[in-house]
Amino acid sequence: MEDSGFENLVVKFLTHSISSKELDNLNSALKNEDCKQMFRSQIQIDYTTRHIMSQYNKNKAKQELIRKIRKDKRTVKKLTLYKFGKYAAAVLLFFGLGYFYWNHNFYQNTNKVAIENTDQITLELSDGTIKTISEASSASVYNKKGDRVGLQQGNQIIYHKGGKAKEIVFNTVSVPYGKRFVLILSDGTKAHLNSGSSLKYPVEFMKGKKRKVYLQGEGYFDVAKDETSPFIITANKLNIQVLGTKFNLSAYPEDPNIKTVLVEGSVGFFEENTKFNEESKRLIPGHMAVWGKQQRAIKFKEVDTDLYTGWMDGKIIFSHMPFKAIVKKLERNYNVTINNSYEQLNEVRFNASFDTETISQVLEAFSKNYAMKFTVEGSHITITKP
């Protein structure tokens, strides 16, 4: 490998933009002693750069960025349906490489203990070991045999390409309220997980076998196509089968319905203890399937898919949604507890979209459209009749 090619891999590695294939190339290149020395040198330079840059006031810089973004937006945001304006925002550029803790991993020096801090993203390994994931660092992911199977970079985990597994071994990622996470599975499938969600998945899929994962919460899936190995997501008692497609699936335990919105491709539905066949109900792009948990029946309707996928870009979108459902969504997104004693408000429906607003600004916008009072005390919010 030419020096320039290796240097590009190192830069991508340290800035959390390397692909699974490029990661394999980097691992191979590090067998060369010269490459290994160059890599160590870049790590030292990066650490020094980060240490110097960490002296600036991060909170002040963040607030300044948010202030500039909001300055370009309307001072009063009206609640509206199907109008989501795009705006240009100032971007802070930091020169220098991202830092990386090479010796940290998810398998060494761990104990089988429960994680008490529910504000942290966690990874549960097949042996029951639970590790917290730091979004400010990177780490290697190992299987129970001690083999490196993937890499955690910030808010995502990239698993090495598989296909040689002789048994299915599951890991589970759990995402708390107020956070999101991305998984790139060993087959190349990309799963975006929303706040308050968890996904149980094989560390490596077996070639020729069904690719089965288990979702609780909400996720957007970009499934790698493999006609010999159907991809199946189990949510509650409903199975969704695909070969290669893009869709959003919302299946929170407290919600009465499981909603699937298809962006591209085709998906089919079948309940547990049944088999997928040609008579199974199918969903076409631009439509949503709503499966009632109690009725155990499925309905289809045409929708604007952007309303259901905007959360990946940090948007919170409500489309003709009753306030009691909005409360649940706000609690997940902002990691707060909302006590609404204004019962009349529960069934009022709103159409709205937000992105950079704080929880106080969101509630202020609602109060201007429907009279109500609210108080915010830390992470606890109370809504009362005016």
Side-chain angles (χ1 to χ4, degrees):
M1 179 180 296
E2 295 180 359
D3 288 348
S4 59
F6 177 75
E7 289 174 0
N8 287 336
L9 289 177
V10 174
V11 170
K12 287 186 175 183
F13 179 70
L14 294 174
T15 56
H16 302 171
S17 61
I18 195 169
S19 67
S20 179
K21 183 177 180 180
E22 289 170 335
L23 183 61
D24 289 337
N25 292 338
L26 178 60
N27 286 333
S28 298
L30 287 175
K31 295 177 182 179
N32 181 283
E33 191 60 30
D34 291 337
C35 290
K36 187 181 296 184
Q37 290 297 329
M38 185 186 298
F39 181 77
R40 288 175 179 171
S41 176
Q42 291 292 341
I43 291 291
Q44 292 172 352
I45 293 173
D46 174 60
Y47 177 81
T48 303
T49 303
R50 281 285 178 175
H51 178 71
I52 294 173
M53 291 173 60
S54 65
Q55 304 305 312
Y56 80 99
N57 191 326
K58 296 180 180 179
N59 291 329
K60 184 177 180 180
K62 180 179 179 181
Q63 291 301 318
E64 179 64 13
L65 174 59
I66 294 175
R67 185 190 68 78
K68 289 180 180 180
I69 291 174
R70 289 176 181 160
K71 185 177 180 181
D72 292 335
K73 301 178 71 177
R74 292 173 297 177
T75 54
V76 178
K77 174 173 282 190
K78 294 183 178 180
L79 303 185
T80 183
L81 177 62
Y82 301 133
K83 285 187 179 181
F84 309 111
K86 295 183 179 178
Y87 59 89
V91 180
L92 297 179
L93 297 178
F94 297 102
F95 294 95
L97 298 172
Y99 67 94
F100 182 79
Y101 298 102
W102 178 256
N103 292 319
H104 290 185
N105 59 64
F106 282 131
Y107 198 78
Q108 299 170 338
N109 303 320
T110 60
N111 296 312
K112 296 181 181 180
V113 296
I115 301 299
E116 296 181 357
N117 188 351
T118 56
D119 291 337
Q120 296 294 318
I121 298 170
T122 62
L123 172 68
E124 182 177 353
L125 305 179
S126 59
D127 64 355
T129 300
I130 300 177
K131 291 290 292 181
T132 57
I133 293 178
S134 171
E135 297 170 271
S137 65
S138 302
S140 295
V141 181
Y142 289 78
N143 62 19
K144 61 182 181 180
K145 297 180 181 179
D147 301 323
R148 200 173 103 167
V149 295
L151 178 68
Q152 176 254 321
Q153 299 175 314
N155 69 338
Q156 72 174 2
I157 292 179
I158 303 173
Y159 282 89
H160 298 337
K161 186 176 181 180
K164 299 180 180 179
K166 295 182 179 180
E167 63 174 336
I168 296 295
V169 177
F170 286 92
N171 279 2
T172 302
V173 162
S174 298
V175 185
Y177 283 3
K179 296 188 178 183
R180 294 186 293 272
F181 199 73
V182 177
L183 283 167
I184 300 179
L185 305 180
S186 65
D187 65 339
T189 292
K190 193 170 187 177
H192 298 257
L193 300 179
N194 204 354
S195 303
S197 303
S198 66
L199 185 70
K200 181 180 178 181
Y201 56 93
V203 174
E204 184 178 350
F205 294 103
M206 292 180 65
K207 191 172 182 61
K209 301 293 185 179
K210 293 179 180 178
R211 297 172 288 166
K212 196 164 187 177
V213 301
Y214 301 84
L215 175 71
Q216 179 173 292
E218 184 170 22
Y220 178 88
F221 295 85
D222 185 350
V223 179
K225 190 172 184 178
D226 184 348
E227 295 183 356
T228 65
S229 303
F231 194 94
I232 301 173
I233 302 175
T234 297
N236 197 275
K237 297 181 179 181
L238 181 67
N239 294 320
I240 299 95
Q241 179 165 317
V242 302
L243 291 176
T245 188
K246 299 178 181 179
F247 64 100
N248 193 80
L249 175 61
S250 182
Y252 286 102
E254 63 271 27
D255 290 349
N257 301 316
I258 293 177
K259 298 178 180 179
T260 306
V261 176
L262 185 61
V263 176
E264 180 182 304
S266 177
V267 300
F269 304 89
F270 61 106
E271 295 188 44
E272 64 176 355
N273 301 323
T274 64
K275 292 184 178 181
F276 181 79
N277 54 50
E278 292 302 320
E279 297 180 358
S280 299
K281 294 184 178 180
R282 310 291 178 99
L283 185 63
I284 61 176
H287 287 69
M288 176 171 69
V290 181
W291 189 75
K293 295 179 181 178
Q294 291 187 342
Q295 302 88 346
R296 303 183 74 85
I298 194 167
K299 297 180 180 180
F300 299 89
K301 65 178 180 179
E302 188 174 5
V303 296
D304 180 351
T305 58
D306 289 342
L307 296 175
Y308 301 91
T309 60
W311 61 266
M312 291 187 293
D313 298 319
K315 295 179 181 179
I316 315 171
I317 302 173
F318 308 113
S319 175
H320 199 57
M321 184 178 291
F323 193 74
K324 61 182 179 182
I326 289 175
V327 165
K328 292 180 181 179
K329 203 165 183 178
L330 292 176
E331 286 181 326
R332 294 169 190 155
N333 192 80
Y334 288 99
N335 191 21
V336 295
T337 301
I338 300 177
N339 177 26
N340 177 28
S341 61
Y342 190 6
E343 294 186 3
Q344 182 180 339
L345 185 60
N346 282 330
E347 301 304 323
V348 178
R349 294 178 179 271
F350 294 89
N351 301 306
S353 66
F354 302 95
D355 39 41
T356 62
E357 288 78 6
T358 65
I359 184 63
S360 295
Q361 291 170 327
V362 170
L363 292 174
E364 183 66 30
F366 280 112
S367 67
K368 290 180 179 179
N369 285 264
Y370 197 96
M372 63 176 173
K373 290 178 63 178
F374 67 92
T375 57
V376 180
E377 296 181 358
S379 61
H380 299 282
I381 297 170
T382 302
I383 298 175
T384 58
K385 186 176 181 178

